[in-house]
Amino acid sequence: MTSIPRAGVIGNPISHSLSPKLHSYWLQRYDIEGEYTALQVSEDALESTLRNLSKQGFIGANVTLPHKVSVMQYADQITDRATLIGAANTLIFKEDGRIFADNTDGYGFMANVRQGAPDWDPKAGPAAIFGAGGAARAIIVALADAGVPEIIIANRTRPKAEALRADFGARVSVVDWVQADQMLDGANTVINTTSLGMVGAQEFKVPLDALSKDAVVTDIVYNPLRTPFLKAAEAKGARTVDGLGMLLHQGVPGFERWFGKRPEVDDATRAAVLA
């Protein structure tokens, strides 16, 4: 008997994840027999869950908070990209029980910005990043690969930003959070990777007075879709790209590996996930 391929998303908590909606839509859209489920897994149960999933017919999984770093220690093979970022969000379970780990967050970020601002040129000037967490690491790797000449980071706790400079070298510079508005002067790409402005979180209060109308501005927060940060950037005349596309695009490589079809991220996909 051949069982249908299964995949899912691992996190704690997991009820907020839009990944089941996304992948289930793609399975239905492309008439693929498969299943994608949400799996709430505690830190204590992470290793045993990963070891058992392939026995239960799972061929892969996405990984979200708080497991994106700790899942690395249980992987048998890790891509250079995930190693550099220090976190994984996509797993493939081999038939022999081995676990392959990758990180597609940077890919999702780049694909989203290129789709939302097709004429964006990453090489045209510096990138300014608010925040220094895991998403910032993935985005720095992607921006550096794309040829961004300088990456400036401001984080509410400066040592976390300094750690990124230590890891990624001379192309990265750091400014104090209280001077974060100054890094916008001349910035070609501006990214909020913090939770500021998210529903239930604190406001984003850094003034955007120095923002160029030629800049491309994006927020990885997608609840709300048009964050106060993006609204403020729009008011300055800048082009904005919302954060939902990053979530949608980062799911593409995993779905393709698991189910054998490269899915499209378009208006219909957005509508299905937002419904």
Side-chain angles (χ1 to χ4, degrees):
M1 185 180 76
T2 305
S3 60
I4 65 167
R6 302 175 72 195
V9 56
I10 299 166
N12 187 24
I14 200 60
S15 58
H16 68 285
S17 176
L18 292 176
S19 291
K21 227 175 186 181
L22 172 64
H23 290 272
S24 297
Y25 165 73
W26 280 336
L27 286 169
Q28 183 180 14
R29 175 174 174 171
Y30 299 113
D31 196 24
I32 295 169
E33 195 173 15
E35 186 181 304
Y36 189 99
T37 54
L39 302 161
Q40 180 147 327
V41 179
S42 67
E43 189 70 43
D44 292 345
L46 182 60
E47 182 178 12
S48 60
T49 299
L50 291 173
R51 302 293 178 209
N52 286 323
L53 283 176
S54 59
K55 299 173 187 172
Q56 297 167 17
F58 279 79
I59 52 177
N62 288 120
V63 184
T64 188
L65 297 174
H67 301 316
K68 291 169 96 167
V69 174
S70 50
V71 76
M72 301 269 282
Q73 63 189 302
Y74 307 121
D76 301 288
Q77 189 178 352
I78 303 170
T79 62
D80 292 343
R81 181 170 52 186
T83 301
L84 193 58
I85 295 166
N89 74 334
T90 304
L91 304 178
I92 296 159
F93 302 125
K94 307 284 191 178
E95 287 183 8
D96 60 6
R98 290 184 304 140
I99 299 170
F100 174 86
D102 193 10
N103 191 308
T104 64
D105 281 334
Y107 165 82
F109 169 81
M110 293 297 292
N112 182 41
V113 177
R114 290 190 188 284
Q115 185 175 47
D119 59 345
W120 172 65
D121 177 9
K123 298 176 183 177
I129 300 178
F130 296 97
R137 292 185 70 90
I139 288 167
I140 287 168
V141 171
L143 291 174
D145 284 348
V148 171
E150 182 187 3
I151 299 167
I152 313 161
I153 305 169
N155 192 58
R156 284 170 287 179
T157 51
R158 184 171 174 122
K160 282 189 75 176
E162 294 286 2
L164 292 182
R165 178 164 63 178
D167 285 349
F168 294 111
R171 199 181 309 194
V172 175
S173 58
V174 175
V175 301
D176 285 327
W177 186 257
V178 293
Q179 297 173 319
D181 60 319
Q182 295 178 17
M183 69 178 181
L184 301 178
D185 189 11
N188 176 59
T189 313
V190 181
I191 309 129
N192 176 38
T193 72
T194 75
S195 61
L196 296 173
M198 188 177 177
V199 169
Q202 292 177 301
E203 290 179 57
F204 185 97
K205 292 182 177 178
V206 178
L208 304 186
D209 296 339
L211 183 66
S212 166
K213 64 178 177 55
D214 297 322
V216 170
V217 180
T218 186
D219 197 330
I220 70 165
V221 169
Y222 53 82
N223 185 15
L225 207 53
R226 287 180 70 243
T227 61
F229 172 71
L230 291 181
K231 288 180 181 178
E234 284 170 4
K236 293 291 177 189
R239 291 171 295 164
T240 62
V241 180
D242 69 52
L244 181 64
M246 179 173 168
L247 170 81
L248 305 181
H249 283 286
Q250 64 79 30
V252 169
F255 188 93
E256 183 178 23
R257 289 292 294 268
W258 304 326
F259 300 112
K261 169 71 177 178
R262 188 167 186 85
E264 191 177 351
V265 175
D266 54 13
D267 290 342
T269 308
R270 286 177 65 93
V273 171
L274 291 171

